[in-house]
Amino acid sequence: MLSPEIEPKAFRNLSYGLYIVTSRDEDRLNGQVVNTVIQVTSDPPRLAVIINKKNLTHEYISKSKVFGVSVLAESAPLTFFGPFGFSSGRDTDKLSKVQYKKGFNGCPLLTEHTLSVIEVEVSDQIDMGTHTIFVGPVVHSEVLTEGQPLTYHYYHEVMKGKTSKNAPTYTE
Amino acid sequence: MLSPEIEPKAFRNLSYGLYIVTSRDEDRLNGQVVNTVIQVTSDPPRLAVIINKKNLTHEYISKSKVFGVSVLAESAPLTFFGPFGFSSGRDTDKLSKVQYKKGFNGCPLLTEHTLSVIEVEVSDQIDMGTHTIFVGPVVHSEVLTEGQPLTYHYYHEVMKGKTSKNAPTYTE
C-alpha cells in the first residue's frame, strides 16, 4: 500500500474474553456484557474496563466508582448472558433472572456459569469520546470454579454470537 | 469469605492475545511481546497497549509517540517470538533475525507469522506506577494473511510458555 488506510478486519484478530461487568447506584444494580477487561499491573493488581457512555453501567460506575467482573465459563449458554448484552437496565432488571451475591464493594457478582469474580475500585478514568476507560485496584478476587473461560472468539465462531453496537469492537 | 482478599488465580481466567508491539527512537527500532493490546473505541478506531516502564519499547513509545502491533499467528513458533519477550533491545537487535517492513509511522511491522498489522499514534498516556497505558487512534491497519490468532491461553497451555516478570499479568 502506498498511503495509509484502515482495514477494520485487522482488529478482528485481537483476542478477548467475555465478562459480565456490574455496578450499582446505591441499591440499584445493573450489569452488561463486556469483552474489554484487561489487567494493567500486577503489583498492585489493577484492572481496566472500557464501557460505552450510553450504557446504564457507565452511569453507575461513574457515580459509585466501583465495578465487579464475573468471568463467564465457556459452558455459559447464550440464553443466560445474552440479555446482559442486548437489553438495557433502563428497561429491565437484568439481575432478576440470575443467581448472584453482593460483593464487598456492593456490586453484584454472578454465581452461576462464572469461573471467577473480581471487584475493583476506580482510581482513574480516561475519556475516549464514545467510551470511558475505568481503571483501578482490585479489592477482592475469588475463583468460584475450575473450567475454560468463554472467549470472544468462541462466542463468535462457535456460538455464532453478534457484537452490540455499543461495543468498542463493533464494526458494521 | 468474610473479609476481602485477593486471589491472583482469579485474574488468570482473563483472556488475551499475543502480539509483538514495536516502536522506534529515530532510526533505532525495537519490539517486545505483549498480551495487553485492546481496542477502546470503534469510531474512530483506537487501541490501548500496556507497557512496563523498564522496557526499551516503553522508552521508544514515550519519545516517538507511535507504536506498531503485529498480531501473531497461532502457528508462530516460540523460537520466532520468544526472543522478543525474554531479551532486551538494550543488549540485542531483536529485529535483525526476522522479516519486517517499515510502517507509515516508521515502526517495524512483522511480515512473517503475522496475521495483521496495526499502526497507532499515541494521543493519551496514563501512568499506572510500574506500567503505562498508551492509547491512540489507528493510523493504518492491514490484514496480511488468514489464520487463527495466537492466544495467551494457547501460549501457556499448549506451547508451555512462561510469563515475563515485566508483564502486567505476572504472578510469582
Side-chain angles (χ1 to χ4, degrees), chain A residues 58-137:
Chain A
H58 189 283
E59 187 183 317
Y60 284 9
I61 299 176
S62 300
K63 282 184 189 169
S64 66
K65 306 290 183 196
V66 287
F67 65 89
V69 177
S70 301
V71 180
L72 291 169
E74 192 180 84
S75 56
L78 199 49
T79 49
F80 173 74
F81 66 84
F84 282 94
F86 293 99
S87 64
S88 170
R90 295 187 182 94
D91 308 321
T92 175
D93 178 0
K94 298 192 199 178
L95 275 309
S96 67
K97 286 171 191 160
V98 299
Q99 288 172 33
Y100 68 92
K101 62 178 179 178
K102 285 268 190 85
F104 293 97
N105 69 11
C107 296
L109 303 168
L110 303 191
T111 53
E112 46 179 350
H113 305 300
T114 297
L115 300 185
S116 54
V117 293
I118 308 165
E119 296 179 54
V120 176
E121 254 173 39
V122 175
S123 60
D124 295 88
Q125 62 184 76
I126 304 103
D127 188 332
M128 286 286 121
T130 54
H131 292 70
T132 300
I133 309 177
F134 295 103
V135 189

Side-chain angles (χ1 to χ4, degrees), chain A residues 7 10 15 19 46 116 128 141, chain B residues 7 10 15 19 46 128 141:
Chain A
E7 198 177 353
S15 298
Y19 314 98
R46 287 192 193 92
S116 54
M128 286 286 121
S141 67
Chain B
E7 198 177 353
S15 298
Y19 313 99
R46 289 193 193 90
M128 286 286 121
S141 67

Side-chain angles (χ1 to χ4, degrees), chain A residues 2 19 22 24-25 52 59 67 72 101-102 105 138 140 171:
Chain A
L2 297 175
Y19 314 98
T22 56
R24 62 176 171 84
D25 176 13
N52 194 301
E59 187 183 317
F67 65 89
L72 291 169
K101 62 178 179 178
K102 285 268 190 85
N105 69 11
V138 173
H140 175 76
T171 47

Side-chain angles (χ1 to χ4, degrees), chain B residues 18 33-35 78 81-82 84-86 151-167 169-171:
Chain B
L18 218 55
V33 174
V34 173
N35 62 310
L78 200 49
F81 65 85
F84 282 94
F86 292 99
T151 66
Y152 202 50
H153 179 262
Y154 186 90
Y155 168 71
H156 281 291
E157 297 302 313
V158 181
M159 302 178 86
K160 304 295 179 194
K162 292 186 169 32
T163 298
S164 159
K165 280 195 176 177
N166 288 353
T169 46
Y170 176 73
T171 46

Side-chain angles (χ1 to χ4, degrees), chain A residues 5 7 9-10 13 15-16 19 39-42 46 50 116 128 138 140-141 143 146 148 153 168 170, chain B residues 5-7 9-10 13 15-16 19 39-42 46 50 116 128 138 140-141 143 146 148 153 168 170:
Chain A
E5 61 181 78
E7 198 177 353
K9 217 181 150 195
N13 288 319
S15 298
Y16 304 94
Y19 314 98
Q39 188 175 352
V40 297
T41 58
S42 64
R46 287 192 193 92
I50 296 149
S116 54
M128 286 286 121
V138 173
H140 175 76
S141 67
V143 175
E146 298 293 318
Q148 288 297 327
H153 180 263
Y170 175 73
Chain B
E5 62 181 76
I6 295 174
E7 198 177 353
K9 218 180 150 196
N13 289 320
S15 298
Y16 305 93
Y19 313 99
Q39 187 174 352
V40 297
T41 58
S42 64
R46 289 193 193 90
I50 297 148
S116 55
M128 286 286 121
V138 172
H140 175 76
S141 67
V143 175
E146 298 295 317
Q148 289 297 327
H153 179 262
Y170 176 73

Side-chain angles (χ1 to χ4, degrees), chain A residues 134-162:
Chain A
F134 295 103
V135 189
V138 173
V139 293
H140 175 76
S141 67
E142 192 182 339
V143 175
L144 303 187
T145 185
E146 298 293 318
Q148 288 297 327
L150 179 59
T151 66
Y152 201 50
H153 180 263
Y154 186 90
Y155 168 70
H156 281 291
E157 298 300 316
V158 181
M159 301 178 86
K160 305 294 178 194
K162 292 187 169 28

